[in-house]
Amino acid sequence: MIVLTGTTGGIGSTALQTILDRKLVPISDLCISAYNTAGIPAHIKETGIAIRTGNLYEPETLEKSYTGAEALFLVSFPSMGEERFTLHKNAIDAAKAVGIRHIIYTSLSFGGGGSNDQKPRTSIAQVAQAHIRTEAYIGESGLTYTIIRMATYAHLWNNYAGFLNLSASNINDATAAAPLQAVLPGDGPAHWANRADLGEATGIIIANWKRYINRVITLTGPELISGADFVTKFVKHTGRPVDLRIVPAQEAIAWHIGNGSVPPEQSSFLDNWASWHAAIAKGEKAYLDPTLEELLGRKPKTVDDQADEIFGAGNALDTKDLVGI
């Protein structure tokens, strides 16, 4: 049996739906572990899949939730604070305690080098630190593993391109006198991918996890694009002028605090944010890997393929996971 976590999130829900739609794993061999079982969609419940309560903050619930499984699909917890590693550790310890022998973990691609890169990695991106610690802890646990290092989601481009105001009044007024302001603390080429593509590929990996024992799989998407490139594409797509400036990190942080780019209670996150740009400028994500295309059996979506969606007013700035930094 495979226990699945994070099935109401962007990656986990698509992974599960891929498994179900393609009948990649019998329903009887699947189990959902969720802290809020009431939030699982009705169409998933109607499949008859086993659903158990498992809360990462309550380790005793995890052992009950994971019992009887052979493999655990562990979606990384959506926080960039210290709690992220602690909660991952709770899941890994519970899995080991009840006899699970394999963990499939969703990581990030900062500091990586492509699929099958087994070398210990380092990164100057603060967002990568909990992932690096989690990968190491899994490796030391005695369990086998599949690590899926994922590209940054393309729809989050604006977090890397200066927190532009994408409200309808801003992006629809191409004649506005004042350009939007994009202030970055560094820049460089990086890989990006469509989240649904990543979720679909992840579902295929989960269903075939025995082919990927003790493997690192890197899903990079099809192209390298910088923050400046994103701004250029945004301007081309919307006609809205943007002034782009790349400045030292502390100057960028001060500008965004003064500009109210993120909610005041999240301003401490900006040091973390600046480290992503430093890592990208260093080349930590300046590589491509063919594995995503191979798993999908088609070309992954490019940024231009998603332009209507990601450059529109409906793609509001997403800072909900930046609390607790």
Side-chain angles (χ1 to χ4, degrees), residues 91-162:
I92 296 161
D93 290 346
K96 187 172 182 178
V98 300
I100 284 178
R101 65 185 185 90
H102 188 82
I103 291 181
I104 306 153
Y105 174 67
T106 62
S107 188
L108 286 182
S109 59
F110 278 101
S115 295
N116 296 317
D117 178 10
Q118 302 289 344
K119 301 186 299 293
R121 64 172 174 146
T122 60
S123 173
I124 60 175
Q126 293 181 38
V127 68
Q129 301 313 308
H131 291 292
I132 291 171
R133 292 178 67 190
T134 300
E135 289 185 23
Y137 193 74
I138 292 171
E140 295 163 359
S141 70
L143 305 177
T144 60
Y145 59 83
T146 305
I147 305 297
I148 308 174
R149 293 177 181 165
M150 296 196 181
T152 306
Y153 305 153
H155 72 275
L156 297 181
W157 68 274
N158 197 14
N159 288 353
Y160 293 78

Side-chain angles (χ1 to χ4, degrees), residues 9-201:
I11 291 292
S13 62
T14 305
L16 174 57
Q17 199 62 54
T18 297
I19 293 170
L20 296 176
D21 289 348
R22 300 188 189 183
K23 298 180 172 58
L24 298 179
V25 179
I27 292 290
S28 58
D29 290 342
L30 296 172
C31 175
I32 291 173
S33 174
Y35 79 93
N36 177 22
T37 57
I40 296 172
H43 75 277
I44 297 297
K45 294 179 178 178
E46 289 166 3
T47 66
I49 192 170
I51 297 172
R52 299 174 179 173
T53 300
N55 189 330
L56 291 172
Y57 288 97
E58 301 173 359
E60 66 278 6
T61 69
L62 299 179
E63 292 192 16
K64 294 178 182 178
S65 189
Y66 299 168
T67 295
E70 186 177 18
L72 168 67
F73 172 55
L74 176 60
V75 174
S76 59
F77 186 78
S79 166
M80 285 178 260
E82 180 63 29
E83 65 181 349
R84 186 178 230 176
F85 171 71
T86 300
L87 298 177
H88 294 168
K89 182 177 180 295
N90 288 347
I92 296 161
D93 290 346
K96 187 172 182 178
V98 300
I100 284 178
R101 65 185 185 90
H102 188 82
I103 291 181
I104 306 153
Y105 174 67
T106 62
S107 188
L108 286 182
S109 59
F110 278 101
S115 295
N116 296 317
D117 178 10
Q118 302 289 344
K119 301 186 299 293
R121 64 172 174 146
T122 60
S123 173
I124 60 175
Q126 293 181 38
V127 68
Q129 301 313 308
H131 291 292
I132 291 171
R133 292 178 67 190
T134 300
E135 289 185 23
Y137 193 74
I138 292 171
E140 295 163 359
S141 70
L143 305 177
T144 60
Y145 59 83
T146 305
I147 305 297
I148 308 174
R149 293 177 181 165
M150 296 196 181
T152 306
Y153 305 153
H155 72 275
L156 297 181
W157 68 274
N158 197 14
N159 288 353
Y160 293 78
F163 305 114
L164 296 179
N165 183 345
L166 300 188
S167 65
S169 60
N170 261 333
I171 67 172
N172 293 335
D173 186 2
T175 64
L180 298 175
Q181 299 295 310
V183 179
L184 312 184
D187 198 18
H191 50 250
W192 309 79
N194 174 268
R195 184 168 62 179
D197 282 351
L198 292 171
E200 181 180 337

Side-chain angles (χ1 to χ4, degrees), residues 217-284:
I217 300 171
T218 304
L219 306 179
T220 67
E223 58 192 338
L224 297 179
I225 297 181
S226 67
D229 293 333
F230 266 112
V231 170
T232 298
K233 288 178 179 293
F234 170 80
V235 171
K236 181 179 179 180
H237 189 76
T238 65
R240 187 68 167 87
V242 177
D243 281 344
L244 171 66
R245 289 187 292 139
I246 299 175
V247 301
Q250 291 307 309
E251 183 178 339
I253 290 169
W255 188 91
H256 284 291
I257 290 174
N259 190 58
S261 299
V262 298
E265 66 274 14
Q266 296 176 1
S267 61
S268 61
F269 146 76
L270 290 169
D271 280 326
N272 190 311
W273 166 80
S275 75
W276 312 349
H277 291 268
I280 287 172
K282 186 181 175 184
E284 288 193 14

